[in-house]
Amino acid sequence: MEKELFTKPNYFKYPLIIFCGLGLALASLMGKISPFGTVFIACMNGTDCLSAFAGTALGYLLRGDFVAAVPTVAAGAAICVLRIFFVKPKGAAGRLISGGLAGAAVLFTNIISVKSASDILLSFAFGLIAAISCCTFLGLNEKLKKGEKLFSGKNAELLPAGITLIFIVASFTDLSFGIFNFGEIISGAIALAAAYRFRLSGGVSVGVICASGMAIGRGAFVYAALAFSAGTLAAALTASKGRVPMSAAFLLASASMGGLLGMDRTMLSFIADMLVASVIFMALPLNKIATRIKPRTSAFSDGLSAEVFAGRLELVG
């Protein structure tokens, strides 16, 4: 029997969906409107889809670029109508259709304003990113409703999720509030959670993915991504000590690497983001989240190494 995400009336659900849609619509990727606002609409059903469209449409209009906003809002409206009345994303076929809709909409809204050959390539890249991300999100949502593990450790699942995470981080790196950068905060919290759950192998992998997204979003300023990678490595190495020691190691390594690379206002802002990310990480209900994610079984995983070592001790005894 499937588990519903909202089993009781939740009056905070629709404002939350609108707020998420607003944030995704305000984000940018490589100087253009991020495709994840359109993806967000394509991943929703019924009144949730209407709320997502309302939030993203408001975000696109608040950007001030009405020439780019109008076709994007129109494409979002078309997806909303199709998703509510025609396309129900159940099973692999439904996910592919929804992903195709999102990809086609993003391709259309970008290709009508191309000015060079590189813009054409970027339009197709955005369409592909949208299609992959939509299929990934819908697949994870189906597993969540059924109570299944979100990730089983197979490369076929991890690759599209990794691609999606890179460009989500890159998009949110464009959003800031004062000295705080949302992409860096999200990256820090996710990397710490991955290091806590998967130790060295998974923590470093997710750290590299998030650092790549930060580098894409930051453009010329890649020092923050390097400092972030050092912090993630330190967190993964100290994960067995608990959340507080690994968060402290994460902050110390990030700040130390930042100081070596050159301490300025931007780097200080990055360190403040990592502090906020550490606080969020320590507040996350990781024990509940961990039950939905299966660690990868490899020669480098901590669990398998412990089993092999225990077997050798038995042979010696």
Side-chain angles (χ1 to χ4, degrees), residues 37-295:
T38 304
V39 171
F40 190 56
I41 298 172
C43 290
M44 293 294 173
N45 288 314
T47 52
D48 293 352
C49 191
L50 287 174
S51 300
F53 171 70
T56 53
L58 178 61
Y60 291 137
L61 294 175
L62 287 176
R63 294 174 66 95
D65 186 1
F66 295 103
V67 175
V70 170
T72 308
V73 172
I79 289 179
C80 189
V81 172
L82 290 172
R83 287 287 289 104
I84 292 174
F85 296 105
F86 300 103
V87 181
K88 306 298 180 182
K90 291 184 178 180
R95 293 196 298 272
L96 289 174
I97 293 173
S98 297
L101 284 174
V106 170
L107 174 62
F108 167 75
T109 56
N110 281 277
I111 208 165
I112 59 174
S113 60
V114 297
K115 297 178 180 179
S116 63
S118 61
D119 288 340
I120 296 176
L121 293 176
L122 194 60
S123 298
F124 279 97
F126 273 28
L128 183 60
I129 291 169
I132 292 174
S133 301
C134 186
C135 292
T136 301
F137 284 132
L138 288 173
L140 293 176
N141 188 46
E142 286 184 12
K143 289 186 176 183
L144 186 64
K145 287 183 177 181
K146 295 177 181 178
E148 299 176 355
K149 292 185 181 296
L150 296 182
F151 296 104
S152 62
K154 297 178 181 178
N155 290 329
E157 295 177 344
L158 297 177
L159 181 60
I163 294 172
T164 301
L165 180 57
I166 286 176
F167 291 105
I168 286 179
V169 169
S171 297
F172 275 105
T173 303
D174 182 67
L175 286 179
S176 298
F177 181 77
I179 64 170
F180 299 108
N181 183 281
F182 292 108
E184 292 178 351
I185 292 172
I186 291 170
S187 297
I190 291 175
L192 282 168
Y196 184 76
R197 173 59 173 159
F198 299 108
R199 300 298 192 259
L200 187 60
S201 59
V204 171
S205 299
V206 173
V208 170
I209 289 172
C210 291
S212 301
M214 289 169 58
I216 293 172
R218 280 290 194 176
F221 184 74
V222 296
Y223 292 147
L226 295 175
F228 176 81
S229 300
T232 304
L233 177 61
L237 291 172
T238 56
S240 60
K241 305 297 182 182
R243 294 201 205 190
V244 175
M246 69 178 292
S247 297
F250 175 71
L251 287 172
L252 180 61
S254 298
S256 299
M257 180 61 73
L260 291 174
L261 294 172
M263 191 64 68
D264 56 11
R265 186 181 182 279
T266 307
M267 188 60 75
L268 288 173
S269 174
F270 163 75
I271 295 172
D273 292 335
M274 295 304 100
L275 177 61
V276 175
S278 298
V279 173
I280 293 174
F281 160 68
M282 288 189 283
L284 288 173
L286 292 179
N287 291 334
K288 293 182 179 180
I289 296 174
T291 59
R292 296 297 183 90
I293 303 175
K294 181 180 178 181

Side-chain angles (χ1 to χ4, degrees), residues 197-202 295-308:
R197 173 59 173 159
F198 299 108
R199 300 298 192 259
L200 187 60
S201 59
R296 296 192 70 180
T297 303
S298 67
F300 300 100
S301 63
D302 295 337
L304 184 58
S305 299
E307 292 175 6
V308 172

